[in-house]
Every structure is written in C-alpha cells, then in structure tokens.
Amino acid sequence: MPERERRWSGWGFEGERFPVPEAARSFLTERLGAGDPLPAVPEGEVKLPPSRPLPPLPLPAATDDGSRLRSACGSSLPDLVALRTGTVAAYPDAVCAPDTPDQVVELLRAAAAGGVTVVPRGGGTSVVGGVTVRPGGAPTVVLSLERLRGVISVDAASHLARVRAGTFGPELEAALAPHGLRLGHEPQSFEFSSVGGWVATRSAGQRSTGVGKIDDLVAGLEVATEAGLWRLAAQPASAAGPELRRLLIGSEGRFGVITEATLRLRPLPEREDGLAVLLPGWAAGVEVCRALLQSGVPVETMRLADPEETRFGMTLAALSPLAARAGRVLFGLRRYRNGCLLLLGWAGDTQGMTLTEQIAARLWRAAGGFALGRAGWRRWRADRFRHPYLRDELLAAGWGVDTLETAAPWSGLEAVYVRVREALARAAAALGMRVVVGCHLSHAYRDGASLYFTFFWPLARGREIAQWGALKSAATEALLGAGGTLSHHHGVGTIHAPYLEREVGRTGVAALAALARELDPHGVLNPGVLLSRTPDPGPRTPGGREG
Ligand SMILES: Cc1cc2nc3c(=O)[nH]c(=O)nc-3n(C[C@H](O)[C@H](O)[C@H](O)COP(=O)(O)OP(=O)(O)OC[C@H]3O[C@@H](n4cnc5c(N)ncnc54)[C@H](O)[C@@H]3O)c2cc1C
C-alpha cells in the first residue's frame, strides 16, 4: 500500500480533518471573542534560501526544497505559526536518511570533521523545539531515521523485542501482534512518532498509568556516537554501576543517535474496555484518582478533566450523543454544575477486569459520581488520535491553542493547578485578552500525577508568537514556582532548555554538559536542545576511538 502523504504545515495526513463543531465555535466566541484567522500559505509560495555548501558526506543528501521544508520544523506552536505564515527562520541544508546504524556513525564522523550540525529526526512531532532548525549556526543536516525501521527480533519467552529507532507506533504494534504481544505505549502522536523519539524525549502514552512511561519499557539500547556504536544489552535488572540506559533516555539527541531499542512487552489483553463517569467536582475527582492508584488496582488509562475541559470536551461531542445529552442535563443540576469527566480504561482477562471495575465503582460512587456509560469511553478512544487535527482548524478560525504538562506529588497537585491557571489568566489580561484554560489529570502514579493544561486565546495577526510566549513563560514560571516538574513527557527541547537548571540545579546541568562533551566532542548534535548553552567543542579532528 502506498504511504499516505503527511501535511507539511500542520498535523497528520493530507485530507484528514477535525472541523471545529458549531458548539465549540460558539463556546470559544462567547468566552474569548473572535481572533484573527491564520490561513496557511500554499507550499508553492514558500521561498527557501539556497542550501549552503556541505563537506563530503558518506551518504546521499537530499537538498530539494520539499525535503528541506518538511524537515525544518517540529510541531510546537511557534513551528506551526512559522509554517502557516511561510516565515520559517532556518532550513536544513540537506536531509540524510541512513540505512544502517554504521552509516549513522559515519555521518556523525563526517559532520564532526566538516563542522556540520546534525539534527536527528524521528517523526518530527516535538512540541518543544527539539527538531527545529536554528538560524545562524553551522551548515545543518537533518538525520532522518525514516529508513531505520522495523522489528529486528522478538524474544517471546522474555517478552522483549529489538526495534529499530525509526519505527512508528502503528507499524510496531502490527509487527508485535502476531506474537500475541504489544508494547502498549500510545502517545497521542502514536501514528507519527518514532521509538527513538519516544526514548529521546521520555515520552508517556495514554495507557501509561498501567504500562508505565517509555522509561520503564526500555530494557536495552544501541546508540551511535562519533566514537562508534554503543550497545547496552537488555537486562531485567543490574547493579553494574549507575543505570546508563536511564541517562540516555531523555537525552534528546545530545548524547548520540539512538538506532535501536530493546523494549519490554506484555501479552495482548483478552479484552479491554472502560467507562465515562461524571464527578461533582475537581477535588472529588482528584481524590478518586489518588485512591484508585494507591489501592493498587490495575487501571490502564485514567483521565480526569476539570470543569472547563469537561465543558469544552462536550462541545466536541467527545462523548456519544446520548451521553452528551445526559451530561448537559446533569450540568443543569446544582450537584454537577462543576462536573468533571473521568475516563477509566482497563485491559486484561474478564475476571481481573470485573474486579478492577468493581473497586473503581466503589470509589467513584462514594465520591458522588454518575456513570455516563461505556459508549462515552469508546467514543473518546475512537477519536483520540483525531483531536490534534483540531489545532490547525482552530488556528485557521482565529484561536491559538497550546498545551503544557507537568507532574507533582499528590500533596502538591492543587497548588500547581491553581497557580498555572491564575498565571495564564494574569498574562492574558496583561495582553488585553482573555484565555480559556482546561486541564486534565492523567499518567498517575502512587505518589503523584501529571497535569496537562490546554489553553486557547484569540489570535492577533502578527503577534501570535508574542502572545504565545507571554502565556507560555507565565505558566512555566508558575508551575516551577509551585513545585511541578518542567515537563512530565514533552521533554526539554529548546523551548524549556533555559529553565532546566531550575529543576536539576547547576551541578545537574554541568554533569549533562560533561556527558555531551564526552559523547559528542565536536558539539555536532542538536546544539541548544536540552542544554541552552553549547558545551565547549573539542579540537576539530575526526573522531574514532572505539570503532
Ligand atoms: C499532537 C501531538 C500530540 C502529542 N502527544 C504526546 C503524548 O501523548 N505523549 C508524549 O509523550 N508526547 C506527545 N507529544 C510530543 C511528541 O510526540 C513526543 O515528544 C515524541 O516522543 C516525539 O517523537 P518523534 O519521533 O516525533 O521525535 P522527534 O520530534 O523527531 O524528535 C524529538 C527529539 O528527539 C530527538 N530524536 C528523535 N529521534 C532520535 C533518535 N533516534 N536518537 C536521538 N535523538 C532523537 C530529536 O532530535 C528531538 O530533539 C505530542 C505531540 C503532538 C504534536
């Protein structure tokens, strides 16, 4: 089957859409007023500067405008605005797609010798500037992982699979299913993000409450560095010094190019299902989530939307029409005026699932919850990978939308929730505009949970990035000030890099920089990503210590 073409200036496949429903349009117009529409320029109108000369490279390098345009940006709000308006600040000079891990090593060595910057690129779905080519630096080559794809081998007895880094989610799960196994890592970007990207950014999937983050799913790694291929074989556990795999997870391309991961799998479930429940308020909902997690009940997906996100979700008909009607009736009741939608999903055998469901029901009933039914859950499951298409439609209609995420211990969650919302409202008011902020709790742990905020504002033409920047920095300051982590799963990239020291300290940044210097001595890989200051480069001589 021919590969479907991806949109160059927005999310997903050409031809796919999630039009803004009338109810959502009215909701945003009423709450925010109309903004300035941001139409996307046609591809033909984007004029690229010519590629800069490159030193000899060991593999073919694409320098055509289409390849360079499609590899210039990721999926952050500034990236989208730049693409839609044809104002991309910098393009790569070439795109190379190695066929083997050894070719990746050769490319890194040639880049080191020739003073070239290399940007590793999986699916290009980074929302933190991780793959955005930056102006003013050395000639830049995007190293696309698109040809390093597929499952190499499955160890069915150990529930392990060796997988090439460029493999996307659907291809991976399709290859594992005939073995009766799955990874179960399903970020919302599942269809367009890669194994290497997940590992490089410490990603979390929508089932992470049950299956864990990618951090927990990596048993072994192979990483290409200028010195050669560095293999850390899969081990169930080890005490052979500090855990080096963990140092590479989240390294965002600064310590080398991940070429392969050995992943921990689990059997395909006999069944899976879930439930949508309406709870009377946010605090009650958070308590249900905490109690569920701490009871040890194996919930795979848990997602509690606050009142604002619940109301906006209803306008998107995220529930079945029947459940949406029931929801509207319930919202009319005083008890559910600030109703919060809780989605619970479980997978496994029938007996285990029945027990899980019974324990969960005891908790949400005691908190005054009302079951909206399985159809609501199934509707969300069916639509969840379509929601990102809405972002482009909202920009075209005049509303900016972005998301940010954090995590904190249960005891500190409320402070983060309150302070981020207040900070966004204050920053919007300072710009003379309003903002709608929704939040959901997901990716929960025994000791805490992630909060994921979505905020909308009316776009002002020509000031989109300034508006976004003011909102984003206010929210980031607020979440750090309230004790949240800089990022639960989007990573650091260039957008969060200036804040990293606030979380890990000066020593932490220095240790990471030292490691980057050791593994990437010529500072070839992703300058500015993860660490905002580039470590001093060593002498510019070709590398080659190990191999
Ligand atoms: C609509 C949308 C929904 C999203 N939903 C989620 C979600 O649910 N959960 C979540 O965790 N994230 C989510 N993200 C963020 C993003 O999808 C993740 O960060 C993902 O892990 C990136 O994978 P990728 O293959 O697209 O990586 P890329 O965007 O290509 O790269 C990300 C970073 O990793 C580096 N990198 C990529 N591949 C390699 C490699 N092989 N070796 C070394 N470095 C590499 C890049 O240089 C870059 O710095 C979402 C993004 C969007 C736009």
Side-chain angles (χ1 to χ4, degrees):
M1 214 165 73
E3 287 220 344
R4 293 179 69 187
E5 198 179 336
R6 275 178 75 175
R7 259 198 197 98
W8 68 275
S9 66
W11 184 251
F13 292 119
E14 282 292 355
E16 288 279 338
R17 289 187 62 199
F18 193 132
V20 189
E22 204 35 59
R25 221 173 255 276
S26 311
F27 177 93
L28 292 174
T29 307
E30 193 181 305
R31 303 289 297 276
L32 298 174
D36 297 332
L38 190 68
V41 297
E43 185 174 356
E45 284 181 20
V46 183
K47 297 283 168 263
L48 277 72
S51 283
R52 290 171 290 178
L54 290 163
L57 297 174
L59 59 159
T63 54
D64 60 286
D65 284 0
S67 305
R68 292 172 63 215
L69 176 59
R70 281 167 177 72
S71 306
C73 292
S75 302
S76 69
L77 192 280
D79 286 335
L80 288 188
V81 171
L83 287 166
R84 291 183 78 85
T85 52
T87 55
V88 171
Y91 295 90
D93 297 288
V95 181
C96 290
D99 288 302
T100 65
D102 287 327
Q103 284 185 351
V104 179
V105 174
E106 285 167 30
L107 184 62
L108 294 179
R109 288 179 180 162
V116 168
T117 287
V118 173
V119 177
R121 184 178 175 99
T125 64
S126 168
V127 285
V128 290
V131 289
T132 311
V133 174
R134 300 213 295 167
T140 300
V141 170
V142 165
L143 189 165
S144 167
L145 275 298
E146 69 196 62
R147 294 211 185 123
L148 281 177
R149 279 163 84 155
V151 171
I152 300 164
S153 62
V154 175
D155 172 351
S158 315
H159 286 187
L160 292 172
R162 284 178 57 203
V163 184
R164 291 194 182 89
T167 314
F168 283 14
E171 186 183 349
L172 171 63
E173 293 295 1
L176 297 176
H179 299 272
L181 295 166
R182 66 172 172 144
L183 180 66
H185 183 76
E186 293 172 8
Q188 196 183 37
S189 54
F190 179 70
E191 296 168 285
F192 303 103
S193 56
S194 66
V195 168
W198 300 341
V199 176
T201 59
R202 299 185 73 179
S203 151
Q206 291 175 338
R207 300 174 186 268
S208 79
T209 297
V211 307
K213 286 186 83 191
I214 199 72
D215 313 30
D216 309 309
L217 303 176
V218 172
L221 283 175
E222 178 186 85
V223 177
T225 70
E226 209 184 299
L229 287 177
W230 182 19
R231 294 194 183 91
L232 291 162
Q235 293 295 354
S238 167
E243 180 47 273
L244 291 168
R245 295 165 197 82
R246 288 265 173 176
L247 270 180
L248 292 162
I249 299 169
S251 57
E252 301 194 15
R254 286 305 297 259
F255 300 164
V257 179
I258 298 158
T259 46
E260 179 187 320
T262 305
L263 299 171
R264 300 192 167 107
L265 313 175
R266 58 192 62 224
L268 282 171
E270 213 173 84
R271 270 184 59 210
E272 62 176 306
D273 212 340
L275 192 66
V277 176
L278 193 67
L279 285 151
W282 176 247
V286 173
E287 270 314 291
V288 170
C289 294
R290 182 172 75 85
L292 249 174
L293 253 291
Q294 292 179 344
S295 70
V297 173
V299 177
E300 220 172 65
T301 303
M302 192 169 80
R303 207 177 156 95
L304 172 73
D306 77 347
E308 198 74 313
E309 186 166 310
T310 300
R311 280 174 192 276
F312 186 67
M314 307 280 259
T315 70
L316 299 180
L319 303 171
S320 68
L322 192 66
R325 246 197 325 277
R328 276 195 294 276
V329 173
L330 286 168
F331 272 128
L333 304 175
R334 244 181 77 191
R335 182 177 179 71
Y336 292 106
R337 208 171 35 204
N338 291 315
C340 292
L341 181 68
L342 173 64
L343 295 168
L344 293 171
W346 29 75
D349 59 43
T350 303
Q351 203 183 358
M353 279 172 60
T354 308
L355 189 64
T356 301
E357 199 165 343
Q358 282 168 352
I359 297 172
R362 250 202 325 268
L363 290 169
W364 59 254
R365 281 203 189 105
F370 183 96
L372 293 171
R374 295 190 192 291
W377 156 261
R378 290 180 191 150
R379 179 69 188 259
W380 173 78
R381 286 268 307 158
D383 273 353
R384 67 201 168 121
F385 296 144
R386 291 186 59 234
H387 291 151
Y389 288 95
L390 191 62
R391 199 162 54 144
D392 300 310
E393 306 273 345
L394 287 168
L395 290 171
W399 292 297
V401 53
D402 199 21
T403 61
L404 53 93
E405 35 73 63
T406 179
W410 290 109
S411 56
L413 222 49
E414 183 60 13
V416 175
Y417 176 69
V418 170
R419 283 170 66 175
V420 169
R421 288 167 49 81
E422 283 174 358
L424 282 166
R426 263 200 311 273
L431 292 170
M433 64 183 196
R434 286 175 283 169
V435 65
V436 166
V437 187
C439 176
H440 66 252
L441 178 157
S442 55
H443 313 293
Y445 308 88
R446 293 184 83 90
D447 51 341
S450 158
L451 290 181
Y452 186 99
F453 296 88
T454 305
F455 52 102
F456 305 84
W457 70 96
L459 289 173
R461 198 65 207 261
R463 293 182 45 232
E464 299 90 353
I465 305 289
Q467 291 177 312
W468 167 84
L471 293 169
K472 172 80 179 172
S473 64
T476 307
E477 287 291 343
L479 67 86
L480 287 172
T485 175
L486 181 56
S487 170
H488 170 264
H489 59 265
H490 285 164
V492 178
T494 49
I495 292 177
H496 290 154
Y499 299 94
L500 184 63
E501 190 172 317
R502 299 262 292 275
E503 175 145 350
V504 305
R506 191 171 280 221
T507 307
V509 169
L512 293 173
L515 209 53
R517 263 196 305 275
E518 172 60 26
L519 296 171
D520 177 31
H522 297 88
V524 160
L525 282 160
N526 269 355
V529 170
L530 184 65
L531 303 161
S532 45
R533 273 173 289 114
T534 310
D536 297 334
R540 281 205 180 276
T541 52
R545 276 162 296 163
E546 284 176 18

